[in-house]
Amino acid sequence: MYKRLRKEAAEARRSTDPDLLLCPSEDNLMDWRAWVRGPEGTPFERGVFELEIKACGQYPLAPPTVRMVTPIFHPNIHGVSGEICLDILKQEWSPAWTLASACTAIRALLSAPNPDSPLNCDAGNVMRAGDMDGFRATARQCVEDHARGGMPSRDALGDLAAPGKAAAPPGRCSTWTAILVVLVPVLWALSAI
Amino acid sequence: MAAGNDDEELRKAIAASLAEQPAADENADIQRAIEASTTPQDLNALTAAEQDKLTIEQMNAINDEIQSNQAMVGDRVGVAAALAGEYDGNANAGFARGIAELDGKYASLRRVRKDGNCFYRGFLYRYLEHLCELQAGRGAGAPHPELERVRGVVRASKAKILSVDYEETAIDMFWEMLVEVLDDVPKTTLDQWHAKMNEEHGVAMHIVWFCRVLSAAQIKLNADRFAPFVMDETGAADVAEFCRREVEPVNHECEQVQIIALTEMLEIPVAIEYLDGSGTPSKLVFPEGASPVVNLLYRPGHYDILYEE
């Protein structure tokens, strides 16, 4: 397990991927941090999102636990816990994935929000109601409020990857959501009149 | 094995597999257990995401139970003795007749853990056991030609696997473990091999998973030939998606396509006796006409190892 994680750490150090920054914590190869850039053409494009990654003793036969630290308005990412609903992190995990490719899959999830079986019911409901403009506006606002810290520099990584230096606590996107969820039906009703 | 009649063989084998009656598999067993253990009121009160999570948690619990109750590979026991109890009182007398017939044909059986890896595990166990026997017959002399052959195939497999876009970082460790296990065959006794294949969290799970990569790589290397079958059977968009969803995930059950691909990749034939309620087990050999050392028993959703003597 450590052999594999050491290889992944060496690879992460060599990486020049402009959209993903990944590194283990200085004192524990089981704890990692990652930053992914929001994909262009999505409401997340101006944001950089921090991920907390924990490998278990069975890694890579068992998937890593990945949590989004940066608050985000997305149907498949829990607004408070940061839990991510992605098949390859659960029943479709295979050791053919690495921490880096799993982060890339999470980035792809930002481009493909799926409102069925949502972890963030507010985001799911807005999308299911067909209000894509409302979804995008709320998601963009959440990016402005929480995800504008930019990509950390690779040189400064040693410090940033230390545990306990995570960004702001998650969960604040739900206030916005609550307002929106109330507003959308009201506006809808008004427009009908 | 790259002969022109491959297509025809593959088509026949798949047709035979489709003719098999669809029956309850291990996942269905797990699903039933979940349904039995959760009252409907509970489920209705949960969101879809919570239900998903509950399902995963319960599946993990059931998998843990399977892990603590079933050996990864069991001891050799008589075929009838091993199976009869399971079909006591089964309304379909065909099972009892089938078991009696298999009992006359095969000396014994080893049970394989029902965790979704049974085909790969049974195949690998029996083949390596055979290699250890062959090598023991030669004493401490030169490696047996079959051992030399398969070592060559496995060593060369890494380049093939990397050519179909697997990351070296991801597969290296698994490949090294299988190479090492093969290198160690001359100094491995049957008891040691049995112990190694039963060691939880040891080498066994790693080399068993590597068989999935060997199978997936063969499917990807022969995408034109395999694509029509995997897409028909699973609705996957292409072979890469099929491999990602149906071959690579740990604990995902094995269908006939994966079996054909693995036997081709390693050039190790396998015979499978299919036992259903029809009364007469039917035997399929991959590839057709070969005389395999590895004999497996298939009952809907599960494989065990059969021994002729």
Side-chain angles (χ1 to χ4, degrees), chain B residues 260-277:
Chain B
I260 291 163
L262 183 62
T263 57
E264 283 182 9
M265 185 67 151
L266 293 173
E267 295 176 48
I268 301 169
V270 59
I272 300 174
E273 292 277 5
Y274 291 83
L275 173 65
D276 56 23

Side-chain angles (χ1 to χ4, degrees), chain A:
Chain A
M1 164 195 62
Y2 279 113
K3 196 173 170 189
R4 158 88 178 239
L5 286 170
R6 271 197 299 273
K7 280 187 185 185
E8 292 200 39
E11 194 141 295
R13 266 196 304 278
R14 284 197 301 271
S15 166
T16 54
D17 187 339
D19 299 320
L20 169 67
L21 198 53
L22 173 69
C23 68
S25 84
E26 262 176 304
D27 49 0
N28 187 353
L29 208 46
M30 312 285 274
D31 288 340
W32 292 57
R33 290 271 162 181
W35 289 264
V36 294
R37 196 182 298 284
E40 270 176 42
T42 72
F44 309 105
E45 65 184 345
R46 286 158 61 83
V48 169
F49 300 87
E50 184 177 356
L51 300 168
E52 177 190 271
I53 303 167
K54 287 186 192 301
C56 67
Q58 292 310 302
Y59 182 83
L61 285 166
T65 308
V66 186
R67 189 175 77 80
M68 186 161 285
V69 178
T70 309
I72 188 170
F73 187 73
H74 187 292
N76 311 111
I77 301 172
H78 198 279
V80 176
S81 68
E83 185 191 342
I84 299 167
C85 181
L86 185 60
D87 53 4
I88 65 124
L89 293 177
K90 300 195 162 79
Q91 69 277 16
E92 287 190 10
W93 168 260
S94 104
W97 293 93
T98 59
L99 299 183
S101 61
C103 288
T104 304
I106 290 168
R107 186 164 183 267
L109 179 68
L110 299 186
S111 303
N114 176 4
D116 301 324
S117 177
L119 273 176
N120 181 332
C121 293
D122 297 335
N125 289 340
V126 172
M127 281 183 74
R128 269 189 297 205
D131 183 10
M132 287 308 288
D133 287 344
F135 167 71
R136 280 190 283 264
T138 314
R140 260 195 304 269
Q141 187 57 50
C142 192
V143 168
E144 291 305 317
D145 291 348
H146 302 288
R148 298 282 285 132
M151 210 65 158
S153 107
R154 283 186 194 271
D155 303 333
L157 270 186
D159 283 350
L160 286 161
K165 296 204 177 165
R172 274 177 268 160
C173 287
S174 43
T175 326
W176 244 100
T177 312
I179 297 168
L180 190 94
V181 165
V182 173
L183 267 181
V184 166
V186 170
L187 290 174
W188 194 35
L190 282 176
S191 67
I193 298 166

Side-chain angles (χ1 to χ4, degrees), chain B residues 233-293:
Chain B
E233 280 196 60
T234 64
D238 53 28
V239 293
E241 187 190 326
F242 174 78
C243 290
R244 182 174 79 79
R245 281 183 13 206
E246 307 286 340
V247 190
E248 293 157 14
V250 186
N251 298 344
H252 207 296
E253 279 181 52
C254 181
E255 306 292 335
Q256 220 134 28
V257 173
Q258 290 93 310
I259 295 174
I260 291 163
L262 183 62
T263 57
E264 283 182 9
M265 185 67 151
L266 293 173
E267 295 176 48
I268 301 169
V270 59
I272 300 174
E273 292 277 5
Y274 291 83
L275 173 65
D276 56 23
S278 68
T280 312
S282 50
K283 182 172 174 173
L284 275 185
V285 178
F286 305 95
E288 216 175 309
S291 322
V293 172

